[in-house]
Amino acid sequence: ELATHRMLARTCARLSLRAMRVSSTFNVTHASGSSVFGVRLFSSRVQAPISSGFSHGDVYNPEGSAMSPKKACGCPKVFLSPPHYIQGPKVLASLGRYTSKLLSAKKVGVLIPEMLKDLFGDTITKSLKDANIEVKWANFGNIPSREEIGRLVEEWKDEKLDAVLAVGGGSCGDCGKGVAFHLSTHCVIVSTQAATDAPCSALSIIYTPEGAYEGGWVYPQSPNIVVVDTDVILNAPIRSLVSGFGDALSTYYEARTCWENPTALSMCEARPTATAFAIGKQSAEMLYANADKAMQAVAKKDSSPEGMEALESVVEANTLLSGIGFESGGLAASHAVAQALSWIPSVHHHHLHGEMVSMGLLTMLCLEQTAGLPGRKEELQQVGEFLVKVGLPVTWEQVHFDPTDQASIDTFMDKTMEQWFCHNEPFPVTKDLIMDAWKAADAYGKTLVAKHGDAPYKKIHKK
């Protein structure tokens, strides 16, 4: 069973490039009430839902939303977060109580991959039954497409659900957010891995039924409840946890860039708050202090107080702190590079989102160092040594980027420049600057590998 869970978790992580694969301001229908996740679009006739008008920019920063590139124009500071975040060992067994007491739910839909239902279905069933909650089960088909969301809305549209519970990785969570939104009901995310910061975000990444990236939907608010059982994370693949390190570490450095640039926008298309910036910084500090011990705990399945304390810290950093930090703190060149890498088949087929962000972060720091921003040289050293130590990619070879493939180079450059948040940097970003920084990141990564070796990378990637 553990081997099965690991295989599925790895599959879910690959399918979900997280809430970071953002190429524009995405639109969804505005919710009319604040007590539920979204607005009901479906009546007797159901079709695959489409984006239809909501963007954070239209709410908080209409003038800036129309700009290209987007810039802050006297807009307010905005902070988003889930109302309830619950993390700890064996919290899955209390899912029914949380849903009943916090949402007054009497009937819920549970969206879950079949293999995870085999692992956790009995625990979830008992918890919901004990809370006197009626359950409607649905199998998640592995891809959060408009068609999959439409299928589930059709299946549940007459059930009068009080909440949609999405149990699984990032893709399942993204699908659950879309279903809850279109049913105008509460959304509960039960994350079975800590690979990304997607669970806490007000965003879904949407794919075609064939698995090609299509776009994303922004929602007016975050999921109502996020539940993370650290006993489950302890037994999930270590690679998914380490990938989350790459995503979460970058949160601080990108939020700092947005905070220091008075024209930069957060992912809310508003100015970042000091709270989000501080949360992003705390995320990085918790990773630096606890990543090594947490990895040892997962590798050894060590549930001792010391091991679990370290794991609890990095799971919170990966999921909650990074989720709030990126959305309300802002993204910059690091995630623009990661987004661009996801369009290159050799990279996309071999790597998780946080592994791409690892290379993006090195590139951003090289870019900012060249521009003369203070402290970047020292930060580049600290970040690089951390990435090598935990086994994240630091070179083109490790991230499967082929420098002889001109088509890949052209795609990489074009997609990096297309990301509006790439231009949150406090200086004009050009293709030449990006390419120079990309080359510098690879060169620096090679010096790191020469100095420290690549044993952690090979262990994580089973090479």
Side-chain angles (χ1 to χ4, degrees), residues 362 366 380-381 384-385 394 439-449:
L362 287 180
C366 287
L380 189 59
Q381 180 178 352
E385 291 182 352
V394 294
K439 291 177 179 178
D442 177 59
Y444 182 60
K446 288 176 179 177
T447 66
L448 290 169
V449 172

Side-chain angles (χ1 to χ4, degrees), residues 203-391:
L203 172 71
S204 289
I205 302 305
I206 304 300
Y207 297 87
T208 67
E210 295 75 30
Y213 172 72
E214 184 172 285
W217 295 350
V218 171
Y219 306 113
Q221 64 188 65
S222 308
N224 300 92
I225 303 175
V226 176
V227 177
V228 186
D229 191 319
T230 44
D231 275 350
V232 173
I233 304 300
L234 181 68
N235 291 291
I238 192 171
R239 183 179 175 184
S240 65
L241 180 70
V242 172
S243 175
F245 293 169
D247 206 12
L249 185 64
S250 189
T251 295
Y252 162 58
Y253 296 98
E254 293 182 272
R256 189 267 310 277
T257 292
C258 294
W259 178 256
E260 292 180 350
N261 179 8
T263 66
L265 295 171
S266 72
M267 297 308 291
C268 303
E269 295 195 56
R271 282 297 292 158
T273 63
T275 302
F277 176 43
I279 286 173
K281 185 176 182 180
Q282 180 68 14
S283 175
E285 291 177 353
M286 290 170 71
L287 290 178
Y288 284 132
N290 297 283
D292 185 56
K293 290 181 180 179
M295 290 177 64
Q296 292 180 36
V298 172
K300 299 176 181 178
K301 306 308 172 192
D302 175 16
S303 58
S304 69
E306 295 79 12
M308 289 303 293
E309 181 180 2
L311 181 61
E312 291 282 351
S313 293
V314 299
V315 168
E316 185 175 347
N318 283 11
T319 311
L320 178 62
L321 302 186
S322 184
I324 294 173
F326 98 79
E327 196 162 42
S328 296
L331 300 178
S334 176
H335 265 83
V337 168
Q339 162 66 4
L341 288 174
S342 72
W343 288 83
I344 299 173
S346 62
V347 180
H348 173 76
H349 292 158
H350 288 93
H351 291 283
L352 308 180
H353 172 71
E355 294 167 349
M356 301 180 209
V357 178
S358 173
M359 287 300 300
L361 179 54
L362 287 180
T363 303
M364 185 183 82
L365 290 175
C366 287
L367 177 71
E368 294 181 350
Q369 180 185 7
T370 300
L373 300 190
R376 272 34 176 198
K377 182 178 180 179
E378 295 76 15
E379 290 175 346
L380 189 59
Q381 180 178 352
Q382 182 184 25
V383 167
E385 291 182 352
F386 175 85
L387 298 177
V388 167
K389 180 178 69 175
V390 301

